[in-house]
Amino acid sequence: MMRVLMVQNMLYVPVWGGANKGNREILEYLAAQDHCCVAITPAVSPYGPRDRAAFLVVLETLGVVPQASSSEVVVYRINGVEIHSLFDPRQIPAYLREYRRTHESDVVLVGADDPTQTMLDVALETRPDRVVWLVRSTLFLPFGPGGCVPDDPKRKQALRVGAMVCNSCHVQDYLRRHLGRKDDVLPAINHLPLPLMGLKVNPSRASVDCQAGYITMINPCALKGLAIFLELARRIPEVAFAAVP
């Protein structure tokens, strides 16, 4: 049994974005394999519950009863994972540092969707060989043309992690080109069939059915290939397309 700790700059619940949903499914998959899994995350966000009361309503709606609750943090369990959600995200680095001081972890997973990469800095303070960076997009990486926050010291910090995993060949190639790392694509990590956002491909639905609904793009932007989406819409005018901001 491994003791797995994950820290991210995104909500654990509710899950609306691909990155936090994918990270959550990784942890819950590992928990289902009888590993001891803990997550440290924010409880509030501009894109989710804004305060403690709203977050507690989210848990109640999910049928989740907190194991411990204070003005600073709520501890609860979902699908075998113990989650520590903090109401002041600025306190997560200090909370992470204290948690690692008092709890041993075999592996520390760090979500790369963090503009400051502060949590990665803290995770690397102890046993960097046990730190795994979960890279799902290039937007918040501190290096390369696809990152919006270039920072050379942060780039050098990233080189210290024990391993990096990514969820696409594009991101894998980006890490190779701009960081000099050669890492596994996410579904191949430890040769385990990890889920990717719960996606199950059904070959019988591989064709476009105009009556089935919309071909939909979530959170459309140039980074996610909006130009390709628009060109497809122009080339297949008989099919309905939709975008969800």
Side-chain angles (χ1 to χ4, degrees):
M1 181 186 73
M2 290 192 305
R3 293 160 296 186
V4 182
L5 172 64
M6 184 184 77
V7 60
Q8 64 180 22
N9 191 39
M10 302 174 290
L11 299 175
Y12 197 86
V13 290
V15 285
W16 292 327
N20 57 341
K21 183 176 182 180
N23 289 354
R24 171 176 166 176
E25 289 199 348
I26 290 174
L27 210 57
E28 293 180 2
Y29 175 88
L30 293 172
Q33 310 307 308
D34 295 326
H35 298 298
C36 178
C37 297
V38 175
I40 298 175
T41 76
V44 295
S45 164
Y47 310 106
R50 302 293 183 92
D51 54 32
R52 186 177 185 276
F55 182 74
L56 292 178
V57 168
V58 169
L59 293 185
E60 183 180 4
T61 302
L62 294 172
V64 175
V65 178
Q67 294 178 317
S69 179
S70 70
S71 59
E72 290 81 28
V73 62
V74 172
V75 180
Y76 54 101
R77 295 186 70 87
I78 295 178
N79 295 333
V81 178
E82 179 180 292
I83 307 106
H84 299 233
S85 292
L86 279 73
F87 296 110
D88 185 351
R90 296 171 298 180
Q91 298 303 317
I92 291 179
Y95 193 92
L96 171 62
R97 185 177 288 113
E98 178 62 17
Y99 186 91
R100 293 199 71 193
R101 187 184 69 81
T102 56
H103 298 76
E104 185 70 22
S105 299
D106 298 306
V107 179
V108 180
L109 308 177
V110 182
D113 291 78
D114 178 8
T116 66
Q117 299 302 337
T118 303
M119 288 177 287
L120 179 63
D121 292 343
V122 175
L124 290 170
E125 291 175 358
T126 307
R127 295 300 302 269
D129 58 307
R130 296 187 180 186
V131 176
V132 178
W133 209 21
L134 301 178
V135 186
R136 297 185 170 275
S137 71
T138 66
L139 183 60
F140 294 122
L141 298 183
F143 51 84
C148 66
V149 282
D151 187 321
D152 192 59
K154 297 288 185 182
R155 182 190 68 82
K156 292 176 180 176
Q157 274 285 70
L159 287 168
R160 299 180 58 223
V161 303
M164 297 182 185
V165 293
C166 46
N167 66 335
S168 72
C169 292
H170 166 69
V171 175
Q172 181 186 48
D173 183 63
Y174 188 93
L175 293 173
R176 288 172 173 172
R177 288 174 178 268
H178 304 292
L179 195 59
R181 293 293 297 247
K182 297 180 180 180
D183 302 284
D184 293 329
V185 175
L186 180 58
I189 180 174
N190 293 335
H191 307 290
L192 296 175
L194 292 179
L196 184 61
M197 295 174 59
L199 180 63
K200 295 182 179 179
V201 178
N202 184 347
S204 66
R205 293 296 301 273
S207 61
V208 175
D209 183 351
C210 297
Q211 304 302 317
Y214 296 95
I215 294 177
T216 309
M217 187 174 193
I218 307 297
N219 191 15
C221 60
L223 183 70
K224 296 188 176 182
L226 180 57
I228 298 173
F229 184 76
L230 293 175
E231 184 61 24
L232 284 172
R234 280 190 286 265
R235 293 192 182 197
I236 320 175
E238 68 275 15
V239 174
F241 284 73
V244 180

